[in-house]
């Protein structure tokens, strides 16, 4: 009793492209045309402005991905030598990783590129470091000295600038006191050394960067129950040296975008629940990571007049004069 409506007029592609596509799609045994008798899906190019074009797709096979990238780069370079604007060229691939590598080949030949990447803020290293610090503060607020494993990693964060050898010496000393009455933790030993009076005029004491990190961490732990989550986030960015490090980076604009994306998430969650506590925020983030729920952020790079590098998903609805499907 159902009315079957079959759409066969295609206004996007030329007939050669439709024919080649059909040859590939026909290999799918689960298609409806193979399950419903009399059903046909013969697409017809119906766009009057392009339906007379007969340029067939060119299929090329390479032994390695490197050879493919080299050839694609040379083909694009040849098009530019023929006065084809780079913005009229689109290169479509499956994963962003391919585009990142191909970009390096283009840079070697001075070919301008343009790309938009849909990223997950929670997967970006800067955001992951801030989230780990939030987890540590929540753990220390719940159980003092309970976040030593996280603190070991946190002390290695580049914004503290602590020499790794100094962290190693500290952890070895803690490990040596794990048995007996002198048992301690990294945080406790770090605090004791940071506030220890010099034994004599020649005593150098603890590394100044370690001492600075200890003071920052103790202040942030003290802030945790006394300030809002937004203020706590701001204090982390300001006091820990996150913002200072970002402003010295060549990628400061992008890193500021990441920082803003994470901060906007914190603001939105506290807007929904003004009494939200740090542990609850951490639980939300961990649940998002577990269920692979992204905190989306678009990364734009290059000039909008450059060669368009995009994923198959990101290419939907776009049109280019020259199109390369690569990495398959």
């Amino acid at each position: 009793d159902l009315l079957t409506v079959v759409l066969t007029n295609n206004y996007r592609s030329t007939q050669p492209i439709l024919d080649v596509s059909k040859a590939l799609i026909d290999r799918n045994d689960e298609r409806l045309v193979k399950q419903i008798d009399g059903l046909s899906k013969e697409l017809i190019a119906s766009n009057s402005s392009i339906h007379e074009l007969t340029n067939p797709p060119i299929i090329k096979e390479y032994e390695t991905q490197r050879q493919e990238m080299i050839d694609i780069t040379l083909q694009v370079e040849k098009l530019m030598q023929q006065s084809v604007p780079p913005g009229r060229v689109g290169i479509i691939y499956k994963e962003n990783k391919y585009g990142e590598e191909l970009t390096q080949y283009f840079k070697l030949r001075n070919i301008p590129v343009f790309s938009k990447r849909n990223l997950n803020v929670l997967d970006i290293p800067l955001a992951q470091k801030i989230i780990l610090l939030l987890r540590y503060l929540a753990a220390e607020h719940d159980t003092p000295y309970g976040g030593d494993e996280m603190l070991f990693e946190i002390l290695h964060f580049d914004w503290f600038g602590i020499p790794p050898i100094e962290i190693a010496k500290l952890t070895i000393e803690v490990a040596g006191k794990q048995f007996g009455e002198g048992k301690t933790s990294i945080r406790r030993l770090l605090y004791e050394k940071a506030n220890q009076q010099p034994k004599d005029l020649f005593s150098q004491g603890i590394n100044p960067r370690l001492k600075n990190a200890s003071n920052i961490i103790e202040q942030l732990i003290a802030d945790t129950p006394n300030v809002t989550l937004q203020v706590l986030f701001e204090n982390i960015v300001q006091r820990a040296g996150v913002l200072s490090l970002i402003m010295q980076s060549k990628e400061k604009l992008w890193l500021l975008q990441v920082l803003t994306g994470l901060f906007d998430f914190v603001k939105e969650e506290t807007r929904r629940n003004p009494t939200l506590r740090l542990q609850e925020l951490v639980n939300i983030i961990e649940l998002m990571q577990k269920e692979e729920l992204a905190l989306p952020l678009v990364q734009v790079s290059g000039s909008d007049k450059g060669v368009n590098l995009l994923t198959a998903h990101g290419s939907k609805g776009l049109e280019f004069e020259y199109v390369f499907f690569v990495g398959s």
Side-chain angles (χ1 to χ4, degrees), residues 151-157 160-175 185-187 189-191 193-194 204-214:
L151 182 56
F152 173 76
E153 185 174 349
I154 289 168
L155 291 175
H156 284 88
F157 289 172
F160 287 126
I162 304 170
I165 187 65
E166 297 295 333
I167 304 172
K169 289 191 292 186
L170 186 71
T171 51
I172 289 174
E173 188 172 345
V174 171
S185 68
I186 295 178
R187 177 191 167 192
L189 183 62
L190 180 60
Y191 177 81
K193 286 183 170 294
Q204 294 182 348
I206 191 174
N207 182 280
R209 291 189 179 274
L210 267 177
K211 182 174 182 178
N212 180 58
S214 175

Side-chain angles (χ1 to χ4, degrees), residues 284-323:
I284 292 172
I285 295 174
E286 290 179 347
L287 181 61
M288 291 176 66
Q289 293 173 325
K290 178 183 177 182
E291 300 298 331
E292 298 183 353
L293 299 176
L295 183 58
L297 182 67
V298 177
Q299 182 184 31
V300 179
S301 60
S303 166
D304 58 359
K305 294 182 180 180
V307 175
N308 295 270
L309 304 182
L310 26 79
T311 61
H313 179 75
S315 67
K316 292 180 179 179
L318 300 178
E319 293 182 349
F320 305 100
E321 186 174 349
Y322 297 88
V323 179

Side-chain angles (χ1 to χ4, degrees), residues 5 8-9 24 30 34 77 97 104 121 168 214 229 242 244 261 299 301 306:
V5 179
T8 56
N9 292 331
L24 292 174
E30 297 181 359
K34 296 189 178 183
E77 186 177 44
K97 183 179 180 181
Q104 302 307 314
V121 172
S214 175
L229 289 179
V242 180
S244 176
Q299 182 184 31
S301 60

